[in-house]
Amino acid sequence: MFTRSSGSPISVVTGSAGFLGSHLTDRLLAEGHRVIGIDNFITGNVANFSHLAGNGNFRFIKHDVSNFIYLPDDVDFVFHFASPASPIDYLEFPIQTLKVGSLGTHNTLGLAKDKGAGYLIASTSECYGDPLEHPQKESYWGNVNPVGPRGCYDEAKRFAEAMTMAYHRFHKVNTHIVRIFNTYGPRMRLRDGRVVPAFICQALTDKPLTVFGDGSQTRSFCYCTDLIDGIFRLSQSDYHEPVNIGNPREMTIKEFGEHIIQFTGTKSSFDFKPIPVDDPKVRRPDITLAKKLLGWEPRVSFEEGIAKTIEFFRGRIAAGDPVA
Ligand code: NAD
Ligand code: UDP
């Protein structure tokens, strides 16, 4: 799929200055691709790709992909990862979130169609909303509140999936949809508000861990390199419907906090705060399809992934990055 008559394949990655977009960029470069990264830095950070300075196979363009994208280059594959992803971020930028999920998806699909390129959109387990089916299979249509505070993200991604399927069915673009479940690892922003950076930074600075609600809600955490491997395999497949990629090891948020307290050796305890509106009560991916279709399953244990992530945050805090 990625072969071209001369030279290496060329991939476009939107959101390349973000957590996952930067890891995907690294993986594509390691696979021999040339990568054009696009980002407007709304939640991204130049530090996430500063290690690529001087790499002739990587080029960066600062651009908001909710506006028309002009690229003179040949392109073999478009990976659309641009979008605020933390609930704190998309509550701060609801309109930009709706625009990048709708207009940004339309523009990136248009780019793929124009270039005759393959396409993969980073969708989300949020498409299932506060799920009434557990664990979540791809066939579940979800339980989403379109007008609640999370609606700007959930509905933008559901629209993005619908638009992607329309480009596949009508324009025959070779599209792929990954539904990403909570993924963590190095390069998350210290202050992005998601539970993994929040608890680790609080623990490393001996502050109380802010548990929302009573902490009985569950999540299932996937390490970033596992996720990227599943995504790379999906991009090479002939499958066009949504595929869940995530780690099925499920725990309550309070259990997650207890692990962080244990692994960091902090003196911190818990500070219980009100639960955000529409916060999903349970979340765990059914990954039967990914296993069968892609021969994929997560390999990095929770203990190993969290240890690497704690080391990353320890380094950032020691370097003086603000935590709160
Ligand atoms: P992130 O905030 O670290 O990265 C998103 C990147 O997109 C940032 O660099 C941001 O500046 C950029 N961006 C946003 N809007 C843009 C625009 N209009 N034009 C150009 N760039 C723009 O988030 P992340 O965790 O890396 O998430 C990446 C993608 O994966 C998102 O689409 C997100 O919805 C999806 N996803 C992530 C998770 C997760 O657990 N990390 C879960 C589900 C889905
Ligand atoms: N959460 C928490 N304390 C925090 C941040 C998040 O208890 O400081 C909870 C949040 O309410 C949710 C879970 O942790 O139930 C995961 O939140 P996150 O923002 O990481 O992502 P979500 O899965 O909700 O998109």
Side-chain angles (χ1 to χ4, degrees):
M1 159 165 308
F2 288 135
T3 47
R4 62 172 33 249
S5 48
S6 63
S8 0
I10 301 176
S11 286
V12 168
V13 177
T14 74
S16 62
F19 162 50
L20 294 178
S22 67
H23 284 287
L24 174 65
T25 298
D26 287 349
R27 173 66 187 262
L28 293 171
L29 290 168
E31 296 287 339
H33 290 222
R34 280 173 280 167
V35 176
I36 302 170
I38 308 181
D39 205 293
N40 67 350
F41 294 117
I42 188 170
T43 59
N45 188 343
V46 76
N48 286 340
F49 62 90
S50 54
H51 59 286
L52 299 177
N55 184 328
N57 287 326
F58 178 72
R59 196 168 102 228
F60 180 75
I61 300 169
K62 183 168 185 272
H63 181 68
D64 180 338
V65 297
S66 297
N67 300 320
F68 182 81
I69 305 163
Y70 170 74
L71 267 187
D73 312 67
D74 288 337
V75 176
D76 298 296
F77 213 95
V78 177
F79 293 88
H80 181 34
F81 275 58
S83 171
S86 156
I88 301 278
D89 287 339
Y90 56 75
L91 291 182
E92 188 180 353
F93 303 114
I95 315 277
Q96 290 93 328
T97 302
L98 280 156
K99 284 174 77 174
V100 75
S102 54
L103 306 177
T105 301
H106 190 207
N107 289 332
T108 51
L109 280 163
L111 179 70
K113 172 174 163 275
D114 183 49
K115 305 288 183 184
Y119 185 87
L120 186 144
I121 171 105
S123 185
T124 168
S125 53
E126 280 284 323
C127 287
Y128 303 120
D130 188 4
L132 304 177
E133 184 178 302
H134 191 66
Q136 293 78 53
K137 284 195 198 70
E138 290 84 351
S139 53
Y140 178 50
W141 290 353
N143 177 39
V144 171
N145 175 1
V147 294
R150 299 173 89 103
C152 60
Y153 182 67
D154 301 10
E155 294 299 2
K157 291 290 186 179
R158 286 162 68 100
F159 175 91
E161 290 196 1
M163 182 66 105
T164 302
M165 290 309 298
Y167 264 66
H168 173 63
R169 294 193 180 108
F170 190 75
H171 289 308
K172 312 290 178 226
V173 177
N174 177 22
T175 60
H176 308 276
I177 299 172
V178 57
R179 287 193 184 141
I180 301 171
F181 283 65
N182 296 65
T183 300
Y184 70 96
R187 300 188 192 157
M188 294 184 96
R189 266 169 34 244
L190 272 64
R191 293 190 288 180
D192 96 354
R194 284 180 275 193
V195 71
V196 175
F199 281 9
I200 294 178
C201 290
Q202 288 160 348
L204 291 176
T205 52
D206 288 328
K207 299 214 175 71
L209 273 55
T210 49
V211 174
F212 297 162
D214 62 4
S216 62
Q217 70 273 33
T218 70
R219 293 295 186 272
S220 311
F221 298 102
C222 184
Y223 190 64
C224 51
T225 52
D226 276 338
L227 176 94
I228 296 296
D229 185 50
I231 287 174
F232 185 74
R233 289 174 190 231
L234 177 61
S235 70
Q236 294 183 300
S237 78
D238 294 326
Y239 195 76
H240 306 292
E241 304 275 329
V243 179
N244 290 339
I245 300 281
N247 190 318
R249 178 168 166 186
E250 183 183 11
M251 61 187 83
T252 68
I253 290 304
K254 193 154 171 282
E255 279 163 7
F256 175 67
E258 282 157 1
H259 287 304
I260 297 299
I261 289 174
Q262 189 202 336
F263 296 159
T264 55
T266 181
K267 296 194 271 300
S268 304
S269 54
F270 292 129
D271 180 13
F272 292 91
K273 301 267 191 196
I275 188 101
V277 176
D278 296 332
D279 196 295
K281 287 180 253 333
V282 289
R283 184 181 289 157
R284 170 156 60 103
D286 181 320
I287 58 166
T288 311
L289 180 62
K291 277 186 182 163
K292 196 169 146 215
L293 188 73
L294 312 172
W296 177 87
E297 61 185 319
R299 304 208 170 280
V300 180
S301 70
F302 177 71
E303 290 71 18
E304 190 190 338
I306 282 293
K308 287 184 177 159
T309 310
I310 291 172
E311 269 328 291
F312 169 80
F313 283 111
R314 217 187 276 284
R316 289 298 259 259
I317 292 169
D321 278 12
V323 176

